[in-house]
Amino acid sequence: GAVDNFIYPTNKHIQHMSYSIQEALTKNVNEIGQEVADAVAQIRQDHPDNLTAKHFSKDFYESLDEEHKHLYLQIIASGIENPDSSVGCYAMLPSDYDTFKPFLDGVITEYHKIEGGVHHNTNWDISSIENLPEGGVLDLTALGLGDTSMRVRVGRNLTNFPMPGNMTQEDRVNLEDTMIVAFKKLMANSEYGGTYHSLTPGNEFFVNEEQYQQLVDDHIMFKDMSADTYLLSAGIARDWPYGRGCYVSEDRGFIVWVGEEDHLRIMCMKVGLVLNEVFDRLRVSLEVMESIEGIEFAHHEDYGYITSCPTNLGTGMRASVHIALPKLTKNGSDVSEAKAAAKEL
């Protein structure tokens, strides 16, 4: 339950805070509603775009029991301790999106620009989309492009573990061990093969610092999270490097990060011409993973797939292509014109 998994933040690297949630959690949370509200009011004045501060409600805080006051403070910790946050809140349990709906729904609807009620429907079928090329084939040659680096990823969390911000070191290692069982089944599958790379000391798939850095340099593994003050405040970056690692298929086209901002970041990448290929491989791979015993992705009836940060709810998806832009740096290191043009797009 929430109490069993509650963790007091111990980060010593967070600086420049307007208010320390770490210190607040050592007090009687039933008596600090006003001081939290005062800190929030100052952030609203100094950083009006901070959605956590904007949607915090002292009345809602006071309506909660002691256990849920603790959780609420954990949820908002990053946005309060880092006032320049644009969103600043992270779920600690999959159930938080129901328990703290009066707060989180405001953040969600404003960030995602949703009017009225929220109801997400995940649908991989593109046939209903208007103005697609014939056969629904998204061929980049139609845009004058040649072979292009394409990547699509989703965030997923398992139902039977707390969210990353509320995990103990033991939780993180147990999650990794659960995923290794699944990865071994992928390794034995000729469609995937490959291996797992673990940063957890003593793990059978442990890689040393040099091997880890090579994976980072190859853009396969994520960077050290322990320097990220936003994720540290949220509890997500704690216990580094335990429970962190990545599975990589034989062709390096299918990768699963373990223990980053979400339990899993699952991605497909390819250099090619047809966007459908990476989307379709990801869809099939997700189905294969969730068919493995012990793997069930957390899902909400209205918000879609559950993620730590409300910005990723729904599909949990991010897709990108890398293309060459001629004369991008014609003004030397000044790329302000290009940034302005990109923002308009």
Side-chain angles (χ1 to χ4, degrees):
V3 172
D4 294 337
N5 287 293
F6 175 74
I7 305 162
Y8 290 98
T10 57
N11 167 44
K12 297 178 181 178
H13 306 292
I14 303 170
Q15 299 176 344
H16 311 303
M17 303 175 189
S18 62
Y19 183 78
S20 172
I21 296 295
Q22 176 182 343
E23 292 181 12
L25 288 166
T26 66
K27 303 175 183 179
N28 183 340
V29 295
N30 291 319
E31 298 176 356
I32 62 171
Q34 188 56 55
E35 68 177 69
V36 174
D38 290 344
V40 167
Q42 185 62 51
I43 295 172
R44 284 176 180 162
Q45 180 177 325
D46 297 340
H47 301 275
D49 294 331
N50 182 316
L51 294 184
T52 287
K54 184 174 182 179
H55 291 279
F56 173 84
S57 164
K58 179 175 179 289
D59 289 342
F60 177 60
Y61 176 85
E62 298 293 6
S63 73
L64 301 170
D65 60 24
E66 184 173 349
E67 173 188 340
H68 289 103
K69 283 188 174 80
H70 275 289
L71 273 175
Y72 193 16
L73 290 173
Q74 285 182 277
I75 289 167
I76 67 173
S78 188
I80 303 307
E81 295 183 344
N82 300 279
D84 61 343
S85 299
S86 58
V87 178
C89 54
Y90 294 88
M92 297 292 126
L93 298 165
S95 58
D96 286 350
Y97 286 103
D98 287 317
T99 306
F100 300 96
K101 187 171 184 176
F103 163 68
L104 288 170
D105 201 59
V107 174
I108 292 165
T109 54
E110 179 164 352
Y111 176 84
H112 292 281
K113 298 180 174 60
I114 298 171
E115 295 182 2
V118 180
H119 183 72
H120 174 80
N121 178 34
T122 299
N123 182 5
W124 289 83
D125 182 5
I126 66 171
S127 63
S128 61
I129 299 176
E130 297 180 357
N131 301 319
L132 285 178
E134 185 177 352
V137 178
L138 305 176
D139 190 339
L140 295 176
T141 58
L143 301 177
L145 298 174
D147 280 340
T148 300
S149 175
M150 307 175 289
R151 176 187 294 229
V152 58
R153 65 87 167 151
V154 294
R156 293 289 186 267
N157 292 278
L158 302 190
T159 57
N160 51 341
F161 286 91
M163 300 294 279
N166 200 32
M167 297 179 87
T168 62
Q169 181 172 305
E170 183 180 10
D171 287 330
R172 299 184 200 280
V173 173
N174 288 340
L175 170 69
E176 183 179 43
D177 288 342
T178 296
M179 291 310 306
I180 286 174
V181 173
F183 294 144
K184 284 181 176 179
K185 293 184 179 180
L186 292 182
M187 293 176 210
N189 184 330
S190 60
E191 293 290 321
Y192 296 93
T195 191
Y196 182 69
H197 307 276
S198 175
L199 302 186
T200 302
N203 189 284
E204 63 179 301
F205 294 101
F206 179 73
V207 293
N208 61 34
E209 182 64 31
E210 182 180 352
Q211 293 168 314
Y212 164 63
Q213 189 56 52
Q214 186 60 56
L215 289 167
V216 172
D217 293 344
D218 290 344
H219 305 289
I220 286 176
M221 183 62 172
F222 52 96
K223 296 178 181 179
D224 185 342
M225 301 162 65
S226 62
D228 188 320
T229 59
Y230 299 90
L231 295 182
L232 279 168
S233 290
I236 291 170
R238 192 173 37 235
D239 306 316
W240 180 270
Y242 288 88
R244 275 67 177 212
C246 71
Y247 163 77
V248 185
S249 67
E250 188 67 31
D251 65 358
R252 289 194 159 196
F254 178 64
I255 296 172
V256 183
W257 290 352
V258 178
E260 207 235 15
E261 185 178 306
D262 291 301
H263 292 159
L264 308 173
R265 287 285 170 90
I266 305 167
M267 63 196 79
C268 287
M269 61 184 74
K270 181 179 182 178
V271 175
L273 298 170
V274 180
L275 287 172
N276 308 64
E277 292 173 357
V278 284
F279 279 95
D280 291 344
R281 185 179 189 186
L282 179 62
R283 174 180 56 79
V284 171
S285 298
L286 289 170
E287 292 172 355
V288 169
M289 286 187 67
E290 203 164 17
S291 70
I292 298 172
E293 185 177 355
I295 307 300
E296 181 183 355
F297 300 142
H299 188 273
H300 190 279
E301 182 179 1
D302 291 323
Y303 297 134
Y305 285 101
I306 296 293
T307 53
S308 290
C309 183
T311 63
N312 291 319
L313 287 169
T315 62
M317 182 181 291
R318 178 173 296 172
S320 64
V321 294
H322 291 175
I323 60 175
L325 298 175
K327 300 183 180 180
L328 179 64
T329 55
K330 66 178 182 178
N331 295 326
S333 60
D334 179 11
V335 293
S336 57
E337 289 183 20
K339 286 184 177 180
K343 191 168 185 178
E344 287 297 317
L345 295 173

